[in-house]
Amino acid sequence: MKTVITYGTFDLFHIGHLRLLKRLKSLGDKLIVAVSTDEFNEGKGKKTIIPYAQRAEIVENIGCVDLVIPETSWEQKIVDVQKYNVDIFAIGEDWFGKFDFLKEYCDVVYLERTQGISSTQLKQTLKTFSISKEEIFKAFEILEQLKSELE
Ligand code: C2G
């Protein structure tokens, strides 16, 4: 029985998150996912759209996930690895080398990310949808002006 653990925010859950979790499960038999709390994310300078309780519930209901725990500090990883008898710590390559200190306690694996999708990118896209009425009126004004200059 091989136990795998990972950590993440999983905000606006997308295909990149799903493919990572499925690849993680294929490394072992039991997959534990530590989902970052809103308070911990503030410490990371990360503002999430979906609150912790909902992000944890979504991850908990992903078929390949066996256990969800809260991630509340950077220091908890060594404690978690020992507490849950973890064999493999794995995370996306955007964290390459950052958790090598865990090699003393378990295997450490960095997995390729899914290209072309990220929560940050989704947030940017959402922002463009939320253009205010004032901004639209402003844009019209400028267009009218251009039109009159062209006539
Ligand atoms: N990911 C991926 N492909 C993407 C986007 C994300 O494989 N297109 C992976 C990331 O590499 C990470 C996981 O999905 O392993 C979760 O990503 P985030 O929610 O952005 O997690 P992050 O905020 O980086 O939290 O203590 C470590 C931190 O909690 C990691």
Side-chain angles (χ1 to χ4, degrees), residues 9-10 36 44 46 71 74 77 92 94-95 113-114 117:
T9 303
F10 300 100
S36 317
K44 282 194 225 171
K46 217 171 180 168
E71 180 184 24
W74 290 109
K77 292 185 175 73
D94 44 323
W95 291 91
R113 281 169 62 94
T114 300
I117 180 86

Side-chain angles (χ1 to χ4, degrees), residues 45-130:
K46 217 171 180 168
K47 189 103 193 58
T48 52
I49 293 193
I50 312 289
Y52 169 75
Q54 295 177 22
R55 289 183 283 114
E57 187 179 338
I58 290 165
V59 173
E60 215 158 38
N61 286 281
I62 303 289
C64 59
V65 174
D66 300 290
L67 176 65
V68 167
I69 60 174
E71 180 184 24
T72 56
S73 77
W74 290 109
E75 295 72 33
Q76 74 179 71
K77 292 185 175 73
I78 295 175
V79 178
D80 294 343
V81 165
Q82 294 170 325
K83 178 176 171 188
Y84 297 102
N85 296 317
V86 168
D87 302 283
I88 303 170
F89 165 90
I91 199 163
E93 65 193 347
D94 44 323
W95 291 91
F96 189 80
K98 295 281 187 323
F99 301 114
D100 286 356
F101 65 87
L102 290 171
K103 287 183 178 173
E104 216 181 306
Y105 308 92
C106 62
D107 294 346
V108 174
V109 178
Y110 300 99
L111 293 172
E112 206 180 323
R113 281 169 62 94
T114 300
Q115 297 309 313
I117 180 86
S118 75
S119 308
T120 310
Q121 203 186 318
L122 289 172
K123 283 177 212 165
Q124 292 304 337
T125 310
L126 282 173
K127 259 201 206 124
T128 60
F129 288 132
S130 61

